Amino acid sequence: MEKPVYKRVVLKISGEALAGDKGFGIDSDILNSIAEQISEVHKLGVQVAIVVGGGNIWRGRNSKHMDRATADYMGMLATVINALALQDALENKGLDTRVQTAIEMKEIAEPYIRRKAIRHLEKGRAVIFAAGTGNPFFSTDTTAALRAAEIEAEVILLAKKVDGVYDSDPALNSSAQKFESIDYIDVINKGLGVMDSTATSLCMDNSIPIIVFGISTPGNIKRVILGENIGTVVRGS
Ligand code: UDP
């Protein structure tokens, strides 16, 4: 019998991961593969809360002349589009799901209520957190750190296009070295692009480990949940 090493996790899926090679929008094959991978770990009895990004549709910091807060609200709305797509894909796999948004839009999803989210997880529902933290100038990585602390998740699974944390960008440097594990403070001090510093500090202050791994290989979420050393673990020393 396969035994998961975690009971409750926050899975962060970046918008980039949803776009696949197209770089924009939602690739339906990838969406389906991610939903399949989530359903595999759900069957092991793991409580899965998901934070989705929005970078495949809109990123506030990339808007040139627009008011930054407005651009960030647009980014938060982009995460809601991804959340609904993911909800649909998960329900096609037979999972019970709830989307909770940090900005109220109660015609399409529940508002974020911490105790309710925990209750859903206990009842075996996958909970998708959308609209980030609800505040401009933050990221969905920070949302993952915040929600993980709030719902007392044991770990953040940071699903990326890249398969771990490298000392330089592996897309640009073919001799980039992958870390098996790295301290939070080194991620911050070396300015490694794995997570923004706000998110990394929040995890550091609350001792929440982060596992960075590649989502494009089917079965990887389950491998991480079963304790296989793929990707990079970010934690304190
Ligand atoms: N965003 C925000 N506050 C939050 C979370 C997200 O303002 O708490 C906005 C921000 O503009 C960000 C966009 O939503 O660029 C999409 O989120 P993110 O860039 O984190 O997505 P990812 O890179 O994971 O696809």
Side-chain angles (χ1 to χ4, degrees):
M1 168 85 182
E2 292 168 313
K3 202 168 176 317
V5 291
Y6 307 107
K7 287 198 192 78
R8 181 178 294 163
V9 302
V10 166
L11 172 67
K12 160 71 207 293
I13 299 170
S14 68
E16 201 183 29
L18 288 175
D21 291 335
K22 288 193 296 191
F24 184 83
I26 300 170
D27 181 311
S28 56
D29 291 337
I30 290 186
L31 183 68
N32 187 51
S33 152
I34 292 175
E36 180 59 38
Q37 294 194 55
I38 295 172
S39 131
E40 275 174 12
V41 298
H42 182 262
K43 281 188 195 130
L44 296 173
V46 180
Q47 296 180 13
V48 190
I50 303 150
V51 172
V52 269
N56 55 326
I57 299 170
W58 185 263
R59 266 206 185 94
R61 65 179 179 278
N62 291 351
S63 63
K64 292 200 176 76
H65 306 294
M66 198 180 277
D67 168 60
R68 173 65 194 264
T70 303
D72 277 342
Y73 280 117
M74 291 169 67
M76 287 184 258
L77 294 178
T79 72
V80 180
I81 295 177
N82 288 333
L84 295 181
L86 192 60
Q87 176 174 46
D88 182 75
L90 288 171
E91 290 191 339
N92 282 336
K93 304 276 172 208
L95 265 78
D96 249 356
T97 65
R98 293 290 186 276
V99 175
Q100 291 200 341
T101 58
I103 296 170
E104 259 198 56
M105 41 185 94
K106 55 184 186 298
E107 284 76 8
I108 53 174
E110 289 180 1
Y112 171 65
I113 299 172
R114 175 179 163 267
R115 282 171 187 273
K116 218 169 168 185
I118 293 173
R119 194 77 195 107
H120 289 318
L121 291 169
E122 287 169 348
K123 285 186 172 167
R125 297 174 186 139
V127 180
I128 305 168
F129 295 126
T133 60
N135 300 294
F137 301 99
F138 286 92
S139 68
T140 52
D141 284 353
T142 302
T143 310
L146 176 65
R147 296 290 182 248
E150 286 183 280
I151 66 167
E152 296 175 10
E154 297 151 275
V155 67
I156 296 175
L157 311 182
L158 203 57
K160 294 252 183 197
K161 255 177 100 174
V162 58
D163 65 347
V165 182
Y166 286 78
D167 58 358
S168 60
D169 187 345
L172 305 175
N173 176 10
S174 58
S175 53
Q177 294 290 317
K178 187 167 123 183
F179 297 99
E180 202 170 294
S181 78
I182 185 165
D183 201 298
Y184 304 108
I185 202 74
D186 291 327
V187 170
I188 297 171
N189 287 343
K190 291 184 207 287
L192 301 175
V194 50
M195 240 180 159
D196 57 80
S197 57
T198 313
T200 312
S201 320
L202 199 51
C203 288
M204 180 168 74
D205 293 349
N206 294 287
S207 304
I208 304 167
I210 307 153
I211 302 179
V212 184
F213 67 103
I215 187 83
S216 36
T217 310
N220 263 2
I221 301 179
K222 188 168 170 182
R223 286 187 190 97
V224 174
I225 291 280
L226 293 176
E228 247 185 73
N229 285 338
I230 60 168
T232 303
V233 184
V234 185
R235 62 176 162 223
S237 46

